[in-house]
Amino acid sequence: MSSGVSNLSDIIAAAAAHNPEGRAVVTSSSSVTFRAVFQHAEVIRKILITGGVTRGDRVIARLKNSPEYVASLFGALMAEARKHLAEDNLNVLVVYGSSLGRVDALN
């Protein structure tokens, strides 16, 4: 990657800037662009920060492998939280509805 990428969360921002309409996530029935993933990751980042998540807090996304999962992963990384796979010592739980961009529950 270019020297402008200093951590994993920078990757989606760089990809969205350089190839916004490129396919970031492909499923059996659809695909999602880098722009859409970045925009939804930014929404998650803002929700997490507004909700009080700080650097190092544990965040879990209870989701199937999906575009929503990818967006929540990058959103948590952008908020400098730690993506967490187990529910012990959990700070935040992210749960999406059926469509990318709708967060049904948080906390």
Side-chain angles (χ1 to χ4, degrees), residues 32-33 36-37 40-41 66-69 71-72 96-103:
V32 179
T33 65
V37 170
H40 289 92
S66 63
E68 293 86 1
Y69 178 82
S72 73
Y96 267 93
S98 60
S99 62
L100 186 66
R102 194 179 87 217
V103 178

Side-chain angles (χ1 to χ4, degrees), residues 12-49:
I12 195 67
H18 296 293
N19 188 17
E21 298 308 312
R23 296 187 305 173
V25 180
V26 178
T27 68
S28 60
S29 59
S30 66
S31 65
V32 179
T33 65
F34 285 109
R35 176 182 298 161
V37 170
F38 177 76
Q39 288 172 339
H40 289 92
E42 185 64 18
V43 168
I44 293 296
R45 182 192 71 79
K46 288 177 182 177
I47 290 169
L48 293 174
I49 290 172

Side-chain angles (χ1 to χ4, degrees), residues 47-69:
I47 290 169
L48 293 174
I49 290 172
T50 300
V53 170
T54 60
R55 182 181 186 129
D57 280 353
R58 293 172 181 92
V59 174
I60 190 170
R62 184 172 282 171
L63 303 164
K64 296 178 182 179
N65 289 339
S66 63
E68 293 86 1
Y69 178 82

Side-chain angles (χ1 to χ4, degrees), residues 80-100:
E80 297 187 3
R82 291 184 302 191
K83 189 73 170 133
H84 204 60
L85 300 177
E87 293 187 24
D88 57 315
N89 300 317
L90 180 64
N91 296 101
V92 175
L93 174 66
V94 176
V95 182
Y96 267 93
S98 60
S99 62
L100 186 66

